[in-house]
Amino acid sequence: MVVERGLVVEREAQLIRVFVPKRERYFRGIPRGKLLKKTKIFAGDRVEGSIVEGELFAIERVEDRKNLLIRPPIANVDRVICVMTIRKPDFDNFLLDSLLVVYDHVRCEPVVLFNKVDLLEEEEREELERWTRIYSDAGYEVVHVSARTGRGLERVVDLVKGEICILAGPSGVGKSSILKRLTGEELRTGEVSEKTERGRHTTTGVRLIPFGEGSFIGDTPGFSRVEVLQFVRKKDVRKYFREFLRYECRYPDCTHTKEPGCAVKEALREGEVSCERYKSYLKMIKEYLEELKEICD
Ligand SMILES: Nc1nc2c(ncn2[C@@H]2O[C@H](COP(=O)(O)OP(=O)(O)O)[C@@H](O)[C@H]2O)c(=O)[nH]1
Ligand SMILES: [Mg+2]
Ligand SMILES: [Zn+2]
C-alpha cells in the first residue's frame, strides 16, 4: 500500500481534517491501530497513513513533534509573527522582548512585524526606524506592514513560505486584519492573555488556514501578555537574548549582571548591545544594576 503523508489542519473534538499536499486536497482523518488510541493528535501534526475509499485518511503514525504549543494547541509551529505597532496602541518593547524569549524557547522563529505604518507621522517614522535597527541588529527579521493598504504583506508571505505560523501580540494591533488579508478569513477567537489564560476558546478546535505556497497560519493568536519566568528558568533567559550569544564572558555561566569580565556589559558600554534590550533582560530576571544609570542614562 502507498504511504501517504499529510498535515492535520483541524482538530475539533472527534473531527480530524488532514491536508495531503501531493493530492492537493483534504480528507477526514481516522486514527488507526492500538497505539493511536493513546496518541493525542493536534493541529499541526504531520501524519502518515493511507487513503481509504478515496475519502478517509487512515492515520497510522504521527511524526515526532518539533514543539507543541499549549494555548492554542498547535504542534510543529515554525514561526510566530509578533505583531506590534508604534501607535494605536503604543509600542511595548518589554512585551515584544518577552514574546521573543518565550517563543525562542519553544523553537518558534519569530518575525517582528510592525503594523499600521500607514498611520505614522514623520516623528513616529523615526521611532519606527530606531526600533527596527535595534531588533535587526539583535538578529531578528523585521517587517513593516499596513494591513489596511496591504503594503509589506508579500514580504511576510515570502518569509514564512512552507511554514506553520501563528500570530501573537497585544489586542488592537491588527492581528485579525492581517489574518484576513493573508487568508481571506476571519480570526475566530480572542487573545490568550495571561490573566484569562483559560481563554475564551477552550472548547473550540484549532484550525490551520492555508495561504501562500504551502504555508499555514493558526486561527488562534498566541499570547498577548506573558510572564517569562512561568515558561523559562531564570538562568536560561540569557540564552534567548540572541545578541548576547555573540560575546564570550570570563565565566561561561555569566549572567551578564555583576560578574567581572562580562563581555556583554562591555558591548553595552560600546553601544553594540542596545540599552533597551538589556533593560528588558534585567526586568525579566528581576535584577537591578546600579551602574546601569551611568552606562545607559
Ligand atoms: N490604519 C490602520 N488601521 C489598522 C491596520 N490594521 C488594523 N487596523 C485597525 O485596527 C483595529 C484593530 O484591528 P484588529 O485586526 O481587530 O486587531 P487585533 O485585536 O490584533 O485582532 C481595527 O479597527 C482595524 O481596522 C492598519 O494597518 N492601519
Ligand atoms: Mg482580533
Ligand atoms: Zn557576561
Side-chain angles (χ1 to χ4, degrees), residues 170-177 187-191 221:
S171 186
V173 290
K175 295 181 298 299
S176 300
S177 310
L187 196 60
R188 283 193 304 181
T189 47
E191 269 88 38

Side-chain angles (χ1 to χ4, degrees), residues 14-280:
Q14 291 315 305
L15 173 79
I16 300 173
R17 276 212 314 153
V18 178
F19 179 70
V20 179
K22 260 196 173 161
R23 296 173 179 251
E24 290 182 11
R25 57 164 286 200
Y26 297 90
F27 295 86
R28 167 124 195 246
I30 307 284
R32 269 281 178 80
K34 285 174 209 144
L35 250 182
L36 282 167
K37 292 218 171 78
K38 286 180 234 154
T39 311
K40 282 198 115 194
I41 296 177
F42 298 93
D45 270 332
R46 296 200 167 82
V47 292
E48 276 181 12
S50 52
I51 287 164
V52 183
E53 291 163 7
E55 289 306 317
L56 298 178
F57 191 107
I59 304 168
E60 310 280 356
R61 203 175 77 83
V62 177
E63 285 181 28
D64 289 343
R65 297 178 185 112
K66 162 184 172 174
N67 57 27
L68 177 61
L69 303 196
I70 306 206
R71 264 179 299 263
I74 308 181
N76 300 313
V77 180
D78 299 299
R79 245 342 147 159
V80 55
I81 302 174
C82 298
V83 183
M84 297 284 141
T85 46
I86 295 295
R87 291 285 174 272
K88 294 190 178 180
D90 282 355
F91 180 49
D92 177 350
N93 68 303
F94 184 66
L95 171 64
L96 175 58
D97 292 331
S98 303
L99 292 173
L100 295 175
V101 167
V102 168
Y103 282 105
D104 205 349
H105 178 65
V106 293
R107 297 202 292 142
C108 270
E109 177 65 20
V111 187
V112 176
L113 183 154
F114 285 102
N115 188 35
K116 307 198 190 186
V117 296
D118 58 290
L119 289 180
L120 302 183
E121 309 279 346
E122 181 80 23
E123 235 169 74
E124 297 162 336
R125 290 218 136 264
E126 278 165 28
E127 198 181 332
L128 172 69
E129 292 308 327
R130 188 171 74 86
W131 286 113
T132 298
R133 220 169 307 119
I134 288 174
Y135 287 96
S136 46
D137 286 351
Y140 295 99
E141 198 68 58
V142 183
V143 290
H144 298 172
V145 157
S146 167
R148 176 148 299 169
T149 67
R151 190 190 135 188
L153 279 167
E154 71 290 345
R155 173 93 187 96
V156 180
V157 172
D158 226 42
L159 266 173
V160 304
K161 207 167 270 182
E163 297 184 346
I164 297 175
C165 313
I166 55 164
L167 295 160
S171 186
V173 290
K175 295 181 298 299
S176 300
S177 310
I178 288 168
L179 187 95
K180 174 96 198 195
R181 274 273 180 185
L182 291 176
T183 67
E185 297 201 29
E186 307 286 342
L187 196 60
R188 283 193 304 181
T189 47
E191 269 88 38
V192 186
S193 75
E194 194 192 330
K195 281 210 171 125
T196 58
E197 69 167 23
R198 286 181 183 276
R200 287 165 241 165
H201 58 267
T202 38
T203 55
T204 324
V206 174
R207 224 163 31 118
L208 295 176
I209 310 167
F211 72 101
E213 289 168 47
S215 315
F216 289 85
I217 192 159
D219 75 339
T220 52
F223 285 93
S224 55
R225 304 181 52 213
V226 55
E227 171 57 50
V228 168
L229 296 185
Q230 276 186 3
F231 300 90
V232 181
R233 282 180 302 183
K234 188 168 164 175
K235 69 179 183 51
D236 289 332
V237 173
R238 67 197 168 98
K239 297 181 192 162
Y240 305 113
F241 275 76
R242 52 179 63 173
E243 66 270 49
F244 295 179
L245 305 178
R246 296 174 192 147
Y247 302 96
E248 217 168 301
C249 305
R250 185 178 307 164
Y251 305 107
D253 59 351
C254 185
T255 66
H256 317 314
T257 52
K258 295 180 171 110
E259 296 89 342
C262 174
V264 169
K265 248 165 50 196
E266 189 49 39
L268 187 69
R269 279 200 186 84
E270 300 292 323
E272 281 177 31
V273 162
S274 132
C275 278
E276 306 295 352
R277 291 271 297 161
Y278 187 78
K279 282 180 197 161
S280 285

